[in-house]
Amino acid sequence: MENVGSLVLAAQDEITAAASTADLKQIEIKYLGKNGLITSLMRQMGSLSAEEKPAFGAAVNTAKATVQESIDNRFSALRDVELAHRFEAEKIDVTMPGRQTRVGYAHILHLTTLKIKRVLGGLGFRYEEGPELEDFKYNFDALNYPPDHPAMDDQDTFYVADDLVLRTQCTALQGRIFAQEKPPLRVFTVGRTFRNEAVDRTHNHTFHQVDCFMIDENVSMAHLKGTLGTFARAMFGPEVKVRFRPDFFPFVEPGVDYAISSPKLFNGRWVELGGAGLIHPNILEANGIDPQKYSGFAFGLGVERIPMMAYGVDDLRLFLENDLRFLSQFQGIAA
Ligand code: FA5
């Protein structure tokens, strides 16, 4: 019996000293658990006489109840303290200003594309899209490339299969249109193009091109120059001049590259924009268009070139890196 009393006293000392509800759980297990110190006292019953048994049993039960009650009381006191601490720690200051949500804005290449569409659409050209994963045939063969042209090499072109490439130029759209439509035609496209090239400040593996062509009776270099001049002035300002120089592309004859100059851009220096020319008679013939009756012009240029020149961006890789410190500078620019 003394043993029971001293266990209760020991338990109560520990209960009073417990610093947390977790400590209290351990004390509960230690004394009242299945193999707890008080619970185990019952095992002594067997060694007691029949007269002693009831009193011992009652004493153990009372001890259990006493310790349990002490634990319960201490538990609720400790839990109140712990909750108060937690509430304090997790307190929310509802008067603090909220976190700002960022509002999205259009990417500068998208804005440039919208402007191109508006300008060329306004000149009477119809917008069409071709696939980025293009038939070798449309990317090269239909554009009058000789079989050994270096652009077809693995070094320059991403091949997906022998007859399937990531288009290297938006000019690939021409063959798709010619296969379905007859002149007069005025069509343009804007889209992503891919080249397996060494990447530097003016070359990326993924970039964008505008490509535009027109076929009708008596189309000449004068129409090309007039259209490009109007396009360039609409994109860069009314002071812009356009210059042609001879260049070679298999799909045009004569072929040119063209540059623009404006007193407001690059101190009036000439800056090359892209390639152009009159659509090669071989291409017209291959598509059943009579080159005696019809002629056409085509031009293409890099979309990135436009904001690079307009805003003085010196590295075109920035456009696709998605660094908001760069992109946010174009926030608020009207399309
Ligand atoms: C062409 O791609 C021709 N299809 C253009 C053309 C169309 C000529 C119609 C005649 C008639 P070129 O390879 O020069 O041409 O590319 C045209 C423009 O795309 C370049 O002036 C440049 O602005 C851009 N460009 C070309 N390669 C890259 C590159 N790796 N990264 C970024 N821009 C590029």
Side-chain angles (χ1 to χ4, degrees):
M1 296 286 189
E2 269 170 35
N3 199 8
V4 181
S6 60
L7 273 178
V8 170
L9 288 179
Q12 277 171 333
D13 280 350
E14 287 185 39
I15 292 165
T16 313
S20 68
T21 53
D23 285 354
L24 219 45
K25 284 278 176 212
Q26 292 306 316
I27 297 166
E28 189 172 16
I29 292 167
K30 178 176 170 187
Y31 287 95
L32 302 179
K34 212 158 72 170
N35 295 313
L37 294 173
I38 295 178
T39 321
S40 307
L41 287 173
M42 284 297 195
R43 290 193 201 118
Q44 295 175 15
M45 280 284 217
S47 59
L48 296 179
S49 65
E51 301 83 55
E52 287 171 319
K53 277 182 183 168
F56 183 77
V60 172
N61 282 336
T62 310
K64 272 178 158 174
T66 309
V67 170
Q68 188 67 60
E69 194 185 335
S70 303
I71 287 174
D72 291 348
N73 290 339
R74 182 85 181 123
F75 189 90
S76 59
L78 282 174
R79 194 196 47 210
D80 289 349
V81 173
E82 284 171 9
L83 276 180
H85 275 128
R86 203 176 126 198
F87 290 155
E88 183 61 29
E90 294 177 6
K91 195 163 72 176
I92 295 167
D93 181 354
V94 293
T95 64
M96 260 171 50
R99 249 183 236 131
Q100 236 183 346
T101 35
R102 273 198 263 216
V103 179
Y105 45 93
H107 192 285
I108 182 62
L109 289 181
H110 177 66
L111 294 174
T112 308
T113 301
L114 290 178
K115 191 166 174 185
I116 293 165
K117 286 181 178 175
R118 215 175 49 233
V119 172
L120 291 178
L123 287 172
F125 291 87
R126 187 181 92 223
Y127 179 72
E128 286 289 340
E129 280 181 5
E132 292 177 354
L133 195 55
E134 183 57 281
D135 293 352
F136 181 90
K137 177 175 77 167
Y138 289 123
N139 201 88
F140 294 119
D141 289 343
L143 289 172
N144 199 36
Y145 277 77
D148 55 350
H149 195 282
M152 299 172 182
D153 287 354
D154 287 354
Q155 293 128 302
D156 294 325
T157 301
F158 292 112
Y159 282 81
V160 175
D162 283 348
D163 55 355
L164 210 55
V165 300
L166 292 180
R167 68 177 170 199
T168 62
Q169 52 186 349
C170 279
T171 319
L173 180 71
Q174 274 187 21
R176 291 184 168 271
I177 299 290
F178 296 160
Q180 294 179 12
E181 297 180 45
K182 294 296 158 225
L185 288 168
R186 287 186 196 190
V187 176
F188 77 105
T189 191
V190 187
R192 261 199 311 186
T193 39
F194 310 86
R195 289 187 196 176
N196 192 3
E197 290 192 311
V199 167
D200 61 26
R201 285 172 1 146
T202 53
H203 296 87
N204 211 344
H205 47 78
T206 303
F207 57 103
H208 298 76
Q209 282 192 336
V210 189
D211 203 274
C212 181
F213 61 89
M214 166 177 183
I215 302 183
D216 207 336
E217 293 178 29
N218 301 317
V219 172
S220 71
M221 292 295 275
H223 296 99
L224 172 62
K225 198 161 187 184
T227 305
L228 273 174
T230 308
F231 173 74
R233 284 188 292 277
M235 296 305 294
F236 297 105
E239 314 82 3
V240 168
K241 289 191 181 64
V242 181
R243 179 188 74 185
F244 284 2
R245 287 195 307 198
D247 198 354
F248 175 77
F249 300 92
F251 37 93
V252 285
E253 178 61 42
V256 295
D257 66 46
Y258 54 97
I260 62 164
S261 147
S262 156
K264 292 197 176 149
L265 298 171
F266 296 101
N267 300 320
R269 283 208 322 264
W270 288 100
V271 184
E272 199 184 301
L273 258 194
L278 293 186
I279 296 177
H280 201 291
N282 287 352
I283 295 178
L284 299 179
E285 264 174 36
N287 288 285
I289 302 168
D290 179 1
Q292 301 304 323
K293 184 171 179 203
Y294 290 107
S295 53
F297 70 68
F299 67 86
L301 65 142
V303 174
E304 283 81 354
R305 276 285 157 94
I306 297 170
M308 283 180 92
M309 291 177 68
Y311 303 111
V313 177
D314 61 3
D315 189 335
L316 112 176
R317 291 170 292 196
L318 289 166
F319 291 114
L320 295 186
E321 275 170 6
N322 279 340
D323 185 336
L324 289 180
R325 288 170 301 182
F326 171 71
L327 295 178
S328 63
Q329 296 179 60
F330 302 101
Q331 195 169 0
I333 286 179

